[in-house]
Amino acid sequence: MSSELIIDVAASHVEIALLENKRLVELNRESNDVKFAVGDIYLGKVKKIMPGLNAAFVDVGYEKDAFLHYLDLGPQFQTLNKFLKLAAAKKIKMSPFPKINPEPDINKDGKIADVLKTGQTILVQIAKEPISTKGPRLTSELSVAGRNMVLVPFSDKISVSQKIETAEEKNRLKKLIQSICPKNYGVIVRTASQGKMVAELDQELRRLISKYENALAKLEKQVVPSLVLGESDRTISLIRDVYNNDFANIFINDEDAASDAKEYVGTIDSEKKKIVKYYNGKQPIFEYFGVDKQIKASFGKTVSFKSGAYLIIEHTEAFHVIDVNSGNRSKTGDQETNALEVNLAAAEEIARQLRLRDMGGIIVIDFIDMHGNDNRQKVFEKMKEVMASDRTTHNILPLSKFCLMQITRQRVRQEMAIETEENCPVCKGTGKVTPTLLFIEEIEQRVRYIFEELQKKSLTIELHPFVGAFLTRGLFSKVFKWRWKYHKKIRIVELNSMNFLGSKYYDEFQNEIVI
């Protein structure tokens, strides 16, 4: 399987598309000013204790207080709490990292009021991003993720990924990490560490420890609430999590980001640096690589997948329903055989949709009815097979006699939702028609406003290719005349994905100008 990453870096956001065999399987969009992302460590203050929930609400700076359950405190919470108290009283030296004696583990069946009190300052990590009306969910069992391992401060346990199949390799890695891991630190060994030598693992372990200790060294000067340690750059963190030897290309449309990515991939495999490539073509990167077209075809309520068969996907707050339909697909053989064929193909597309939309919570799938237990088992096995590459924690239950399948999938961030239906390009959804003769005049008025009123130095206009061709045709085209009149740089970008009478405007910093 060949994998590719297409990364669109804009002034306001970064959009990342993961392709497997040229098919879009994951899409991530992150604002450049994103806060409260999974993995961020905050210094927070307990606002309210809820004995009935055995939980507390913590102020970490979000508009709503974050939720911290007793079971998410972690066994070594008392050690972390002791460290914070000593740091606040300035009774310990913050750098190098203090080697304090660990406290006893907290009682697994204890009460939140026994370990926390209102107004207390605590170190917490974002375990689940704010979703809908809910604030972030927190954990006090801190961790710092690397490619080959996850560092767990105030712990003494060495755990090895269950995805490493051979017992010999598990034992080798465990003994190796035990020999290099300092006191007061635990490590979770990731699958990517298979076959790695001690020098490489030791180098990454030291880097993670240094990153963590440098962040904590600033605790004395930080106010509450505040960010202590942010997750690494979103582009780099995704490459860290998804990169494997099957990656053929990583295309990035920003030269600095491409340079950073090349340097990071070089730390993983020096021979693979060449797969990171800077894209500087005239077309937008998603348009050039066909990502925009796949987005339009893959999102929305109805998704076609094979020979006329299609899925209908409905969403609620924490519940998703997927209905499999054979559509106008030509029937081959008996009904049972046909149903099995459609259901097996649907399982592949459903696995892709769960990753692509990052659907979490409870998913119920209504497959086409099959009477044979063997056929239902085949669909169940197929779903497990195609979901094996999904990094998100999930659980799949066998089909019921009504051919319903239940899947639970961990939900840590907002579901990716893209509106694929477009307003009528003539009436723009109003039912009233604007004379098309005035469209070019409307664009010209906006160009005048941008240069004369907003005083922008240059302008990029995104248009449908038909309109773009009209504006640029001839020696003395419309665009040529605008450049001559305003003595400014004007660039026309033609997009097939743009509405026929749609237009978007961007300034010299590629910030969209909303008019």
Side-chain angles (χ1 to χ4, degrees):
M1 180 177 62
S2 174
S3 301
E4 291 181 311
L5 271 185
I6 314 297
I7 303 174
D8 179 16
V9 179
S12 60
H13 67 272
V14 176
E15 205 160 7
I16 303 169
L18 173 61
L19 308 182
E20 292 180 355
N21 296 330
K22 301 297 182 181
R23 294 186 72 218
L24 179 66
V25 294
E26 286 189 30
L27 183 67
N28 292 273
R29 182 187 175 98
E30 291 286 347
S31 173
N32 285 342
D33 60 351
V34 66
K35 296 179 180 178
F36 309 102
V38 172
D40 288 352
I41 297 176
Y42 280 84
L43 189 64
K45 180 178 286 188
V46 178
K47 298 290 285 186
K48 188 185 296 183
I49 303 293
M50 304 293 289
L53 298 174
N54 205 18
F57 284 98
V58 181
D59 178 16
V60 291
Y62 187 65
E63 58 190 35
K64 292 192 175 182
D65 291 337
F67 182 80
L68 175 64
H69 194 273
Y70 180 84
L71 295 177
D72 294 321
L73 290 175
Q76 281 294 310
F77 178 77
Q78 296 291 23
T79 306
L80 177 63
N81 194 31
K82 174 184 176 181
F83 165 76
L84 267 182
K85 287 179 179 178
L86 292 173
K90 299 183 180 180
K91 292 184 178 179
I92 56 173
K93 196 175 179 181
M94 296 297 290
S95 181
F97 190 59
K99 308 303 180 185
I100 61 176
N101 294 321
E103 295 290 308
D105 290 0
I106 63 172
N107 183 1
K108 281 193 247 180
D109 301 317
K111 302 297 181 183
I112 194 80
D114 296 336
V115 292
L116 287 181
K117 62 181 180 180
T118 303
Q120 181 177 339
T121 299
I122 57 172
L123 267 177
V124 289
Q125 189 166 30
I126 306 295
K128 188 175 180 180
E129 294 176 8
I131 297 175
S132 187
T133 60
K134 299 175 182 176
R137 179 153 185 165
L138 307 175
T139 176
S140 281
E141 195 165 11
L142 309 182
S143 63
V144 184
R147 169 152 178 83
N148 299 303
M149 65 188 73
V150 178
L151 181 71
V152 186
F154 303 108
S155 175
D156 58 357
K157 294 180 181 178
I158 308 296
S159 305
V160 181
S161 168
Q162 294 299 316
K163 292 184 180 179
I164 298 177
E165 296 178 355
T166 62
E168 293 82 5
E169 180 64 4
K170 284 183 180 179
N171 291 332
R172 183 188 78 87
L173 289 169
K174 189 167 186 177
K175 289 177 180 178
L176 193 156
I177 296 297
Q178 283 174 338
S179 68
I180 61 176
C181 189
K183 184 182 177 183
N184 281 356
Y185 286 108
V187 170
I188 300 171
V189 183
R190 305 181 75 173
T191 312
S193 63
Q194 289 185 89
K196 299 293 172 65
M197 295 295 101
V198 63
E200 184 177 350
L201 295 176
D202 183 58
Q203 184 181 18
E204 180 169 13
L205 178 61
R206 291 178 184 276
R207 187 168 61 248
L208 293 176
I209 291 174
S210 176
K211 178 180 178 181
Y212 178 73
E213 293 184 355
N214 288 340
L216 290 196
K218 303 172 186 175
L219 273 178
E220 297 175 33
K221 301 176 183 177
Q222 287 187 300
V223 296
V224 184
S226 62
L227 177 67
V228 174
L229 178 62
E231 176 62 291
S232 60
D233 178 81
R234 186 63 183 155
T235 303
I236 301 300
S237 65
L238 185 68
I239 294 174
R240 178 195 70 201
D241 291 339
V242 306
Y243 179 82
N244 57 55
N245 292 329
D246 293 329
F247 264 70
N249 295 294
I250 299 174
F251 293 100
I252 308 177
N253 65 346
D254 182 87
E255 198 165 6
D256 292 336
S259 177
D260 292 343
K262 183 172 289 191
E263 183 179 344
Y264 179 76
V265 172
T267 63
I268 300 172
D269 186 346
S270 58
E271 295 182 1
K272 283 284 192 176
K273 289 175 69 173
K274 60 186 178 182
I275 71 171
V276 181
K277 299 168 185 175
Y278 168 52
Y279 171 80
N280 61 349
K282 292 183 178 179
Q283 279 184 287
I285 189 168
F286 274 16
E287 177 93 4
Y288 180 80
F289 288 102
V291 176
D292 278 340
K293 184 176 180 181
Q294 291 200 54
I295 290 173
K296 292 286 185 182
S298 301
F299 285 85
K301 181 179 177 179
T302 303
V303 178
S304 299
F305 62 92
K306 185 178 180 181
S307 304
Y310 61 94
L311 306 175
I312 295 179
I313 304 175
E314 299 275 7
H315 307 280
T316 66
E317 178 71 17
F319 189 73
H320 310 273
V321 180
I322 302 176
D323 185 29
V324 180
N325 291 275
S326 58
N328 58 1
R329 185 179 183 280
S330 59
K331 302 293 187 284
T332 56
D334 60 273
Q335 191 275 336
E336 184 80 0
T337 303
N338 190 68
L340 175 61
E341 186 178 334
V342 173
N343 287 339
L344 291 174
E348 288 190 30
E349 182 60 29
I350 289 167
R352 173 175 172 258
Q353 287 291 326
L354 297 185
R355 292 176 65 188
L356 186 58
R357 302 183 188 217
D358 202 9
M359 293 162 61
I362 302 171
I363 300 110
V364 175
I365 305 163
D366 182 9
F367 285 102
I368 298 172
D369 285 347
M370 298 177 295
H371 301 293
N373 289 331
D374 290 345
N375 289 338
R376 289 199 288 268
Q377 184 64 23
K378 286 179 183 177
V379 174
F380 174 56
E381 295 295 335
K382 179 68 173 180
M383 183 60 78
K384 289 199 296 183
E385 176 191 333
V386 293
M387 288 286 286
S389 58
D390 191 345
R391 302 187 311 278
T392 303
T393 304
H394 60 272
N395 186 37
I396 306 170
L397 297 182
L399 278 73
S400 71
K401 66 177 181 179
F402 301 113
C403 276
L404 295 176
M405 175 183 284
Q406 296 177 65
I407 298 176
T408 59
R409 189 171 183 273
Q410 188 179 19
R411 189 184 191 199
V412 296
R413 53 178 59 92
Q414 190 76 33
E415 175 198 343
M416 176 67 70
I418 295 177
E419 185 59 57
T420 58
E421 293 183 349
E422 300 176 352
N423 286 336
C424 169
V426 179
C427 71
K428 298 180 181 177
T430 65
K432 296 180 180 179
V433 178
T434 301
T436 54
L437 292 171
L438 301 179
F439 181 56
I440 301 301
E441 185 178 325
E442 181 182 310
I443 294 176
E444 191 165 359
Q445 289 173 352
R446 291 178 177 177
V447 171
R448 182 201 62 78
Y449 173 76
I450 289 169
F451 286 137
E452 293 185 355
E453 301 293 331
L454 301 182
Q455 296 292 309
K456 298 297 182 181
K457 295 181 180 179
S458 68
L459 177 63
T460 299
I461 310 175
E462 293 182 352
L463 298 162
H464 189 276
F466 290 171
V467 180
F470 176 78
L471 291 178
T472 56
R473 70 175 182 176
L475 181 61
F476 298 102
S477 65
K478 288 278 188 184
V479 174
F480 176 85
K481 291 176 182 177
W482 295 344
R483 290 170 181 158
W484 182 266
K485 179 179 179 180
Y486 299 108
H487 301 287
K488 304 284 187 180
K489 183 180 178 181
I490 302 175
R491 177 169 166 254
I492 301 295
V493 177
E494 298 176 2
L495 297 178
N496 289 320
S497 57
M498 183 67 70
N499 284 338
F500 181 65
L501 295 182
S503 60
K504 288 186 177 181
Y505 304 84
Y506 298 87
D507 63 15
E508 60 270 22
F509 304 110
Q510 290 305 300
N511 294 316
E512 185 175 358
I513 304 168
V514 181
I515 304 175

